[in-house]
Amino acid sequence: MSLLRYSLPLLVAVAVRPASAEEASPTRLVELAVYPPHVELSGADAWQHVIAVAKQADGLTIDVTDLASWRVVDGAEPSEAIGLNDGRLVAEGEGHARVVAEFAGLRAEADALARGGDSAEPVSFRHDVIPILTSAGCNSGGCHGASRGKDGFRLSLFGFDPASDHHNLTREQVNRRLNLAVPEESLLLLKAVGGVTHTGGKLIDEGSWGYRRLRKWIADGAASDLGDAPTVTAVSLYPPAAAIGAGGQTQRFVAVAEYSDGRSRDVTHLAVFQSSNESSAAIDSSGRVTSDRRGEAFVTARFDTHTVGSQVLVLPTDEAFEPREEPPANYIDELVDAKLRTLRVHPSGNATDGEFLRRATIDIAGRLPTVEELEAFLADSEEDRRTVAIDRLLEDPGFDHLWGQKWSDLLLVRTEPNRVEYKPMFLYSQWLTEQIAARRPLDEMVRDLLSASGTTFDTPATNFYQIEPDPKKIAENVAQSLLGIRLQCAQCHNHPFDRWTMDDYYAFTAFFTQITRKRTDDYREWMVYNRGTGEAKHPVDGRNVKPRFLGGEEPDTKRRDRRGVLAEWVASPQNPYFATSVANRVWAHFFGVGVVEPVDDVRVSNPPSNPALYERLGEKFVEYDYDLRRLVRDIATSNAYQRSCEPNDSNAGDRRNFAHAYTRRVPAEVLLDCLSQATEAPEKLPNLPLGARATELADGRAGNYFLTTFGRSKRETVCACEAKDDPTLSQALHLMNGATVRSKIAGGKLIERLLDEGRTPEEVLEDLCLRSLARRPTDEERGELLAIVGESPRPVEELRDVFWALLNSREFLFNH
């Protein structure tokens, strides 16, 4: 079910290696590979870069292209059809050949084919001119690709509208921008090489391949081949993965495009390369990666509408590493630990029982463990006590409220003047919580949501289409919330960092253009249904765009509600995005960071930190028939989740590979509920009875000052960033000086009741620590806090101060 073809193969753990390829002991090399594995040369001027990559027994890879011995043979004889010149295969005739590389006793081969005879390929406007302008940055957003162009010249952003680009190049400033009689006098060339004043400076060298191709295109009449040029069907980046030493090691990458007419072509010189982590692995315009400090990066190559990538690990070469064997609890640990061994990282040990129970209770049930639950758990000596606790928490009503609230955030449940009144909004929120409580498979819930028709009272899911009536926004929201894909960029131009084009955007929007609405007799109630007419028009040429699944086929929607057709695809195992996207959001809830982060920005240039784990979580979710609780149980019972927050020397800098637990601020709603629970002072929230949980708030527009200050989602967009969990100065000031904490301590009268029960100040102190921090005070804390209490026979105010200090501590405010 994967479209993530760039997944990193799991490499063996790395040991000490030489600092350079020249120093590598041949006996340590175990594998040699030649890339690309298959080469096609079309036309007399075609070429293809080839590289050789050796792999050591310790998993590190070395670029040995310049060190290897190369031959191009036809059988036992040198090939007459294909030659090798300066690292490039070139066509010298027609025929098949084998490209052979040998190094350190290892041998690797690749297939090669030359076809096209003596004729050179003509210069293509679509496949030569536009890519040259793109690679030079001419049509970027900061240059002529800006919405209004620059210095009187406008190109479409990254070439998304080639017809307009050809017109602007050939019809504006005739005989100046392009001089067909004297091509080198064309402004296009003069500005590109810095021959005349150019705001963008010099972009290409005179006499370079790009200059020669542009000049030839102009000299040949600046023709357009947009009507019959083949399309780019795929782009590949080689090698598919690399693990290189830190401190200046290099690895060349090669980009190859495949076309609809069956040809392939080296586009390394035309691709736009980027690295996700320049401080570890920087990549230059030629596709050469140079390592620096330890880390990992994802390097991408963008050509035409395609973006592809490879994962690069940069590992130290001067440290010995001995992996520690820890039995995995389940498949999650197998995959997480395999990546950690690759990175030469030791995971932290397990959290204490108290830390675990507090963490799991907050994450699963949205509350603190009670003193009784904690004491019973700590007294339990059974080996499976943690699993038993997790199973119990999965049955807690708090689980339903917590995930009902999360889906309400995701689906923008809020009142909306003139469209969604309080009653339908409340019914919508209740419907979502009831789906979780009834253990409804999430694929069925989503199908009902997307295909919903009826009144907003009788069919609460129809409110999804009332909150946002614009078909384009609906399409964007569905893609981002349910598939993790941000389509917004493709509304006005092809996505610069992903595969999505304007055609994709409007084809997806077309599923929602036939929705209509009308009021019923009750002004608060609307009828939502399919009217059967309405199309999405492409803004460039005005044509009607037929509905098409993202990255998929064009379904038959005749005489059917298009939303129902889409709903079947979105929530099906055939959709490669839904299961992995939802599973990734669940994972992020428990770890504070997704395997793909941000969780709603799944794209080639933002890959999973652990591709195998990302795919496996989605596969398991499908295998479990989209049962949320079963997936949560897998995550919570894993060693990865139960690790301590305390880092060790090897994993102190880890934020993406789950080598230790990450300290997370408790979400706003849960934090308010925890304060109410710890102090036994119920909260009165808008439109809810006294004592209701903040996670039960239906309306995204409702709340109070505390929830606003601590970052509750306003549900104005589907972006995961709506709910804020970063600590702020306002939060600290409110906790210390605001009314919430002090009023709850005073209003709950917990301390008075405990003293009335005959408990000593020391026993009250222990109770306060257990209920707020899920642990007893240390001896040092006990002495300091009892000193505050003093000798008063009934130290209510003193114990209130102690309680206030506990509730203001980072240990209470953060899940750890």
Side-chain angles (χ1 to χ4, degrees):
M1 58 178 290
S2 171
L3 286 186
L4 302 173
R5 303 297 186 192
Y6 48 81
S7 296
L8 173 69
L10 292 175
L11 303 175
V12 183
V14 178
V16 180
R17 67 167 294 269
S20 67
E22 289 82 354
E23 300 170 9
S25 170
T27 58
R28 301 182 66 223
L29 301 175
V30 296
E31 184 179 314
L32 185 67
V34 171
Y35 298 104
H38 180 75
V39 176
E40 291 188 14
L41 304 173
S42 300
D45 58 351
W47 79 80
Q48 174 65 62
H49 286 92
V50 287
I51 56 176
V53 179
K55 183 178 179 180
Q56 294 183 173
D58 58 20
L60 278 174
T61 57
I62 310 170
D63 187 339
V64 296
T65 305
D66 296 334
L67 303 175
S69 172
W70 293 88
R71 291 180 295 130
V72 184
V73 297
D74 182 2
E77 301 297 324
S79 171
E80 297 182 358
I82 300 174
L84 183 63
N85 181 18
D86 194 24
R88 301 192 305 180
L89 296 176
V90 294
E92 297 176 347
E94 292 192 346
H96 287 85
R98 299 286 293 170
V99 183
V100 181
E102 295 178 314
F103 179 71
L106 298 173
R107 174 187 171 105
E109 297 184 359
D111 293 320
L113 169 66
R115 58 184 181 181
D118 298 328
S119 61
E121 290 287 320
V123 180
S124 165
F125 176 72
R126 178 185 287 274
H127 298 305
D128 287 324
V129 175
I130 291 180
I132 291 170
L133 298 177
T134 301
S135 62
C138 301
N139 56 17
S140 65
C143 199
H144 300 291
S147 59
R148 296 184 180 179
K150 196 165 191 178
D151 297 336
F153 179 35
R154 181 180 180 275
L155 292 169
S156 62
L157 187 65
F158 303 123
F160 77 85
D161 186 3
S164 172
D165 293 341
H166 187 268
H167 177 273
N168 293 343
L169 280 166
T170 60
R171 296 294 182 267
E172 293 182 344
Q173 297 191 21
V174 178
N175 294 329
R176 292 194 65 232
R177 188 164 289 159
L178 297 183
N179 190 328
L180 303 185
V182 189
E184 56 271 14
E185 293 298 320
S186 302
L187 275 180
L188 177 68
L189 292 177
L190 288 173
K191 291 201 170 190
V193 299
V196 297
T197 301
H198 182 215
T199 304
K202 182 179 179 180
L203 298 176
I204 62 176
D205 293 325
E206 189 171 355
S208 65
W209 180 89
Y211 180 89
R212 296 196 309 272
R213 294 300 273 181
L214 289 175
R215 186 190 182 286
K216 180 170 174 38
W217 175 68
I218 297 170
D220 290 345
S224 169
D225 61 347
L226 299 178
D228 53 8
T231 58
V232 179
T233 57
V235 176
S236 300
L237 186 62
Y238 300 103
I244 61 179
Q249 299 297 296
T250 63
Q251 174 63 62
R252 278 164 283 200
F253 283 82
V254 175
V256 180
E258 298 177 15
Y259 293 84
S260 56
D261 62 359
R263 295 186 303 119
S264 65
R265 178 189 185 197
D266 188 338
V267 294
T268 308
H269 57 301
L270 294 172
V272 177
F273 291 98
Q274 290 183 308
S275 170
S276 65
N277 184 0
E278 293 278 343
S279 62
S280 290
I283 189 167
D284 63 22
S285 59
S286 69
R288 184 186 296 267
V289 164
T290 302
S291 70
D292 190 355
R293 64 188 186 188
R294 175 182 187 160
E296 56 184 310
F298 195 74
V299 297
T300 56
R302 175 164 50 85
F303 179 73
D304 196 68
T305 61
H306 300 264
T307 300
V308 293
S310 294
Q311 197 160 12
V312 178
L313 300 182
V314 178
L315 304 173
T317 61
D318 55 356
E319 299 176 7
F321 177 74
E322 194 67 36
R324 301 170 186 168
E325 294 300 327
E326 179 185 28
N330 53 26
Y331 64 91
I332 289 174
D333 294 325
E334 293 172 359
L335 298 172
V336 169
D337 293 349
K339 177 72 181 294
L340 294 178
R341 286 194 297 270
T342 300
L343 296 173
R344 297 173 41 163
V345 168
H346 292 300
S348 295
N350 276 356
T352 66
D353 281 345
E355 290 170 340
F356 161 77
L357 188 64
R358 184 179 191 273
R359 180 191 304 170
T361 306
I362 290 174
D363 284 340
I364 298 176
R367 61 173 177 84
L368 294 167
T370 64
V371 174
E372 294 74 22
E373 286 175 325
L374 180 61
E375 290 181 329
F377 181 73
L378 295 176
D380 190 348
S381 60
E382 297 295 328
E383 289 188 6
D384 65 345
R385 60 187 178 279
R386 294 193 177 193
T387 301
V388 171
I390 290 167
D391 289 337
R392 173 177 52 79
L393 290 169
L394 288 171
E395 301 301 322
D396 193 291
F399 181 90
D400 307 328
H401 294 305
L402 183 62
W403 284 96
Q405 172 239 315
K406 282 189 165 292
W407 276 97
S408 294
D409 287 349
L410 192 61
L411 299 175
L412 308 181
V413 178
R414 66 180 190 269
T415 53
E416 193 63 43
N418 301 320
R419 291 203 302 270
V420 182
E421 301 294 333
Y422 184 83
K423 179 178 178 179
M425 178 280 305
F426 181 79
L427 292 172
Y428 185 22
S429 176
Q430 287 294 104
W431 178 78
L432 289 170
T433 302
E434 288 166 0
Q435 303 296 297
I436 303 298
R439 301 184 180 228
R440 186 94 186 280
L442 291 186
D443 62 325
E444 295 181 10
M445 183 186 84
V446 168
R447 282 195 199 95
D448 288 352
L449 179 81
L450 293 180
S451 60
S453 293
T455 71
T456 53
F457 284 4
D458 296 334
T459 311
T462 54
N463 285 283
F464 176 74
Y465 295 108
Q466 278 299 100
I467 289 170
E468 180 51 69
D470 183 355
K472 293 194 291 293
K473 287 297 296 180
I474 294 173
E476 292 173 10
N477 290 349
V478 169
Q480 189 167 347
S481 62
L482 300 181
L483 308 180
I485 296 171
R486 297 184 181 181
L487 275 184
Q488 292 87 330
C489 281
Q491 179 180 355
C492 302
H493 52 76
N494 295 341
H495 200 301
F497 307 117
D498 208 349
R499 62 182 296 186
W500 310 117
T501 65
M502 291 180 72
D503 285 349
D504 293 320
Y505 180 94
Y506 289 96
F508 197 66
T509 299
F511 285 107
F512 304 102
T513 54
Q514 298 186 347
I515 304 169
T516 194
R517 307 156 181 85
K518 66 178 182 181
R519 286 191 187 273
T520 66
D521 294 338
D522 189 325
Y523 77 94
R524 299 170 299 173
E525 183 181 34
W526 287 78
M527 171 73 74
V528 178
Y529 60 97
N530 173 52
R531 68 173 177 269
T533 59
E535 303 295 336
K537 289 190 176 293
H538 199 293
V540 173
D541 52 21
R543 73 181 188 278
N544 291 337
V545 184
K546 294 183 179 180
R548 188 177 67 251
F549 302 140
L550 287 176
E553 63 183 11
E554 186 178 290
D556 181 9
T557 59
K558 291 181 179 178
R559 294 181 293 279
R560 295 189 63 188
D561 186 335
R562 293 177 177 180
R563 298 173 303 144
V565 176
L566 178 67
E568 293 173 1
W569 174 77
V570 165
S572 74
Q574 285 67 47
N575 173 7
Y577 306 108
F578 175 68
T580 50
S581 175
V582 174
N584 186 50
R585 286 182 183 272
V586 176
W587 179 276
H589 170 75
F590 287 90
F591 286 87
V593 61
V595 186
V596 170
E597 182 66 28
V599 295
D600 53 5
D601 193 13
V602 177
R603 50 185 160 85
V604 173
S605 51
N606 182 39
S609 59
N610 189 324
L613 174 64
Y614 182 75
E615 292 299 319
R616 191 65 180 278
L617 288 170
E619 291 168 359
K620 280 291 184 179
F621 195 35
V622 173
E623 179 184 321
Y624 294 157
D625 293 327
Y626 302 91
D627 186 331
L628 176 62
R629 281 178 171 82
R630 291 187 67 182
L631 183 64
V632 167
R633 188 179 191 275
D634 283 354
I635 293 172
T637 55
S638 69
N639 294 332
Y641 175 72
Q642 296 184 24
R643 287 180 180 134
S644 169
C645 285
E646 293 296 325
N648 55 44
D649 291 340
S650 70
N651 69 25
D654 174 52
R655 283 296 300 170
R656 293 297 309 276
N657 292 294
F658 320 110
H660 58 85
Y662 307 138
T663 302
R664 298 164 278 136
R665 211 213 64 208
V666 178
E669 296 92 336
V670 177
L671 183 58
L672 183 57
D673 289 341
C674 289
L675 276 171
S676 300
Q677 177 188 347
T679 58
E680 296 187 2
E683 184 77 14
K684 179 63 179 75
L685 294 163
N687 301 307
L688 289 176
L690 180 66
R693 293 185 177 186
T695 51
E696 296 179 64
L697 266 175
D699 189 358
R701 295 187 183 278
N704 57 25
Y705 181 78
F706 182 93
L707 294 174
T708 301
T709 301
F710 280 83
R712 181 179 187 243
S713 172
K714 295 181 180 179
R715 301 176 183 172
E716 293 175 348
T717 72
V718 297
C719 181
C721 59
E722 274 271 306
K724 308 291 185 182
D725 59 4
D726 296 327
T728 67
L729 179 59
S730 297
Q731 295 167 8
L733 291 174
H734 180 69
L735 289 171
M736 290 188 294
N737 303 321
T740 302
V741 176
R742 287 197 176 277
S743 64
K744 284 191 175 295
I745 292 174
K749 298 187 180 300
L750 172 65
I751 292 170
E752 292 90 328
R753 289 201 302 273
L754 293 176
L755 291 173
D756 289 343
E757 292 173 3
R759 301 198 194 188
T760 66
E762 184 173 355
E763 290 172 335
V764 173
L765 170 62
E766 182 166 301
D767 184 282
L768 298 180
C769 282
L770 287 171
R771 67 174 56 241
S772 57
L773 307 182
R775 66 172 177 83
R776 292 180 171 85
T778 65
D779 291 340
E780 181 180 1
E781 291 169 336
R782 191 185 304 273
E784 291 178 353
L785 294 175
L786 287 176
I788 295 174
V789 173
E791 301 297 329
S792 171
R794 187 175 171 81
V796 174
E797 291 301 323
E798 292 84 348
L799 286 170
R800 284 182 177 180
D801 288 343
V802 169
F803 202 11
W804 178 89
L806 292 174
L807 297 178
N808 271 280
S809 68
R810 287 179 294 177
E811 192 172 351
F812 177 78
L813 300 172
F814 286 80
N815 200 359
H816 49 84

